[in-house]
Amino acid sequence: MDKQLSTSRIEKDLENLKAFTATPGNGCTRMPFTKETRDAAEYLKQVMREAGLEVHEDSVGNVLGILPGKDREKPCILMGSHYDSVYNGGDYDGIAGIVCGIEIARILKDAGENLDCDLVIAAFMDEEGCRFGTGYFGSKSLLGQMTVEECKHFTDKDNISVYQAMTDYGLVPENIPNAAWDLDRIGRYIELHIEQGPVLDQKHIELGLVDCIVGIQRYMITVNGRSDHAGTTPMDMRLDAVDMASKVICHIADLARAEEEGTVATVGYITSVPGGMNVVAQSASFSVDIRSKKNEIINKIADEIRRLLDEETKKGGGTYEIDTKLVITPVDMSAPMLDIMEDSCKEHGYTYLRMPSGAGHDALAIGQIKDTVMIFVPSKDGRSHCPEEYTPYEDFAKAVEVLCDLVRKVD
C-alpha cells in the first residue's frame, strides 16, 4: 500500500465534500433529505464509480458501492458510515469512514486482489438523528427495522415528518421495506470513525480499537401547565410548566454522575410555549439522551426521571408526556477482529489502545445482530460536532492500512 497516495486521495475527497453544507464557513450542516445530502450522495456515487465499484442508491437514500468478489453468493464484508451531520458540525464525522472505505476498495482493486466475497461500502442516511430526533435510519432500514408508520410519526422542528421529507427528496416512503437486506447477506461489518473525544490525542496514541459501544435511550418530554399573566398571577396560583420541568432537569446530570464511569445523561434541547418573557409557560419540552455501557443503568436513570416527573407534576397540578425517540442496547465488538487489528498495529509499528465508544454509530445498530468492529483515529483536542473538528489525513491512511489487513484476513 502506498500510504502517501492514499493520504492524498482521502484528502482530496474529504476536502471536496466540505462544499456540501448549508452553513458555508460555519461547519458542516448536512441534514438528511436535503439538497446538501443529495449533492454529497451524487459526489460519493461519482467517486465510487471512478474507483470501479458497482453503485446503487436504495429506497431510503443509502448509497452503496460494491467491489464484486469471486463468489457473490457468500456473505459480504460490509463497511461504511454515515454522510449526514449535526447542525454546524465537523467535516470528518461519519463521512471520513465512507471515504476511507472507498479507498480500501481502491487499494484492493488497484492491486488486482479479488476477494472471495463482495466488499460493500455503505454511505448511510441519517445516523445522527439530529433533524428528527431519532438516529440510525439508514442502517436500521437496511436491517429491516424501519416502518412507514414510524416515518409518519417523527417530525423535525418545523413539523415536517420523515415521511414528508423523504417525499420531498424524491423517495417513496412506502418503498422503505425494499431497503431491507436478507441478513444472511452480511458476513461482518467494519467501521472507521474519528474518536470524537480527547483520549487518543492527549495520550499521543495513533489508533483506537473499539471493544464496545454504549447503549442509548433518547426521549422528548413535554410538561403541561397553564398559560397566565406573569405579573398578575400570584406564585401560589400558577401552573408553571417551566418551573415543573426545570425541577426535573436539574437532577438529570447528577443521576448519571452517580453511576459508573462512562455513564452520561444530557438535556440538549429546551423550549417553552408560548415563549414570552411576560407569560407563564403553558408547556415546556426538553430532550433527554442517556448513555452507558450497561443497559440496566440506562433503564435505572430513565425510571428515575419518570419518578421525578410524577412527583413534580402531581405537586404542581400538571401533566407530562414522553415520546420515545430511540432505544438501543450496548454492544460488544468482535474479539477475533479486534485481535487481527491489534496484530496489524504491532506489525506496522502503530501505537494503539483498546477503548469503548461513548458515541453511538451505525456499528451500534448493526452490531446488535452481526459481528462488528470499529477503529478510531484521533480527533485534535478531542473536538467534534463543531467546526473545529479535525484529524490529520495521514492518520486516516494508517487506519486504512490496518483495515486492509483486516479485510484480507477475514475474507
Side-chain angles (χ1 to χ4, degrees):
M1 168 181 162
D2 185 336
K3 205 154 42 174
Q4 188 172 358
L5 176 60
S6 275
T7 300
S8 65
R9 292 193 295 209
I10 292 166
E11 178 176 3
K12 175 189 173 185
D13 288 337
L14 286 174
E15 288 294 323
N16 287 342
L17 282 156
K18 288 180 180 180
F20 309 129
T21 172
T23 53
N26 191 20
C28 180
T29 301
R30 192 158 51 233
M31 293 296 106
F33 310 117
T34 62
K35 178 183 183 300
E36 291 73 39
T37 47
R38 170 50 62 204
D39 291 344
E42 295 306 315
Y43 179 83
L44 290 169
K45 289 180 191 176
Q46 173 190 331
V47 173
M48 287 176 174
R49 290 191 190 100
E50 290 170 354
L53 306 184
E54 298 175 359
V55 180
H56 168 64
E57 181 175 338
D58 70 14
S59 61
V60 298
N62 294 326
V63 177
L64 306 167
I66 305 171
L67 181 65
K70 297 173 190 173
D71 185 350
R72 308 207 63 179
E73 296 302 312
K74 282 191 173 182
C76 75
I77 299 171
L78 179 63
M79 180 181 296
S81 196
H82 62 96
Y83 68 106
D84 61 308
S85 79
V86 299
Y87 293 103
N88 306 107
D91 294 313
Y92 307 92
D93 178 4
I95 196 71
I98 302 165
V99 166
C100 289
I102 296 170
E103 178 59 17
I104 289 166
R106 277 196 201 105
I107 291 167
L108 295 171
K109 188 169 181 63
D110 290 351
E113 297 185 50
N114 293 322
L115 299 178
D116 282 341
C117 66
D118 286 356
L119 174 64
V120 182
I121 311 303
F124 290 117
M125 175 70 83
D126 193 13
E127 180 267 356
E128 294 287 2
C130 194
R131 180 176 178 185
F132 303 103
T134 51
Y136 313 107
F137 177 81
S139 50
K140 289 176 77 174
S141 295
L142 182 142
L143 298 172
Q145 297 173 357
M146 290 301 301
T147 67
V148 176
E149 287 308 309
E150 286 178 277
C151 292
K152 291 178 180 178
H153 174 73
F154 294 117
T155 59
D156 65 11
K157 58 184 175 60
D158 298 316
N159 206 35
I160 297 172
S161 67
V162 178
Y163 185 99
Q164 183 61 53
M166 289 182 71
T167 302
D168 294 343
Y169 193 70
L171 299 173
V172 180
E174 283 73 19
N175 290 340
I176 287 172
N178 296 343
W181 284 23
D182 176 350
L183 296 183
D184 290 338
R185 184 181 172 192
I186 305 171
R188 51 189 50 82
Y189 177 68
I190 301 167
E191 183 165 357
L192 180 155
H193 209 280
I194 59 172
E195 182 198 348
Q196 300 185 278
V199 175
L200 296 177
D201 188 54
Q202 285 191 6
K203 293 186 176 183
H204 304 291
I205 294 172
E206 291 168 289
L207 296 170
L209 310 183
V210 179
D211 53 18
C212 72
I213 307 176
V214 298
I216 306 173
Q217 291 184 21
R218 287 178 183 159
Y219 302 96
M220 183 61 69
I221 298 171
T222 300
V223 176
N224 302 302
R226 187 185 65 234
S227 181
D228 282 305
H229 194 290
T232 60
T233 309
M235 296 304 293
D236 61 351
M237 295 182 181
R238 296 182 178 204
L239 195 55
D240 188 336
V242 167
D243 184 38
M244 290 182 282
S246 63
K247 286 173 179 172
V248 175
I249 291 169
C250 70
H251 290 288
I252 291 175
D254 288 333
L255 293 175
R257 291 188 184 100
E259 300 299 334
E260 67 179 42
E261 186 178 354
T263 299
V264 294
T266 306
V267 176
Y269 171 85
I270 304 174
T271 187
S272 67
V273 175
M277 290 183 68
N278 59 347
V279 184
V280 176
Q282 173 182 318
S283 67
S285 298
F286 60 95
S287 64
V288 178
D289 180 303
I290 312 167
R291 308 183 187 211
S292 179
K293 291 186 285 185
K294 292 184 178 178
N295 207 52
E296 58 266 29
I297 291 177
I298 300 174
N299 289 333
K300 177 183 174 183
I301 293 172
D303 289 343
E304 180 60 15
I305 291 171
R306 290 186 182 93
R307 189 195 68 77
L308 289 167
L309 285 163
D310 283 335
E311 181 180 292
E312 293 301 331
T313 53
K314 285 176 182 176
K315 189 190 305 178
T319 61
Y320 70 90
E321 302 150 13
I322 298 180
D323 185 9
T324 302
K325 295 290 190 177
L326 177 70
V327 175
I328 193 162
T329 57
V331 66
D332 291 326
M333 299 287 95
S334 164
M337 286 198 283
L338 280 166
D339 289 342
I340 292 170
M341 291 199 300
E342 185 169 329
D343 289 343
S344 178
C345 287
K346 290 175 181 176
E347 181 182 335
H348 295 294
Y350 297 143
T351 55
Y352 65 91
L353 174 69
R354 290 204 181 200
M355 62 189 299
S357 172
H361 304 281
D362 290 299
L364 178 57
I366 298 172
Q368 306 285 326
I369 55 175
K370 289 292 176 180
D371 283 349
T372 294
V373 80
M374 289 193 74
I375 191 167
F376 278 167
V377 292
S379 296
K380 182 172 172 52
D381 299 324
R383 304 300 303 282
S384 183
H385 280 188
C386 61
E388 292 77 19
E389 179 181 275
Y390 179 69
T391 295
Y393 293 111
E394 55 267 25
D395 288 355
F396 290 119
K398 294 174 186 176
V400 162
E401 193 167 28
V402 171
L403 291 187
C404 277
D405 290 345
L406 175 63
V407 167
R408 291 181 180 112
K409 288 178 181 175
V410 298
D411 178 58

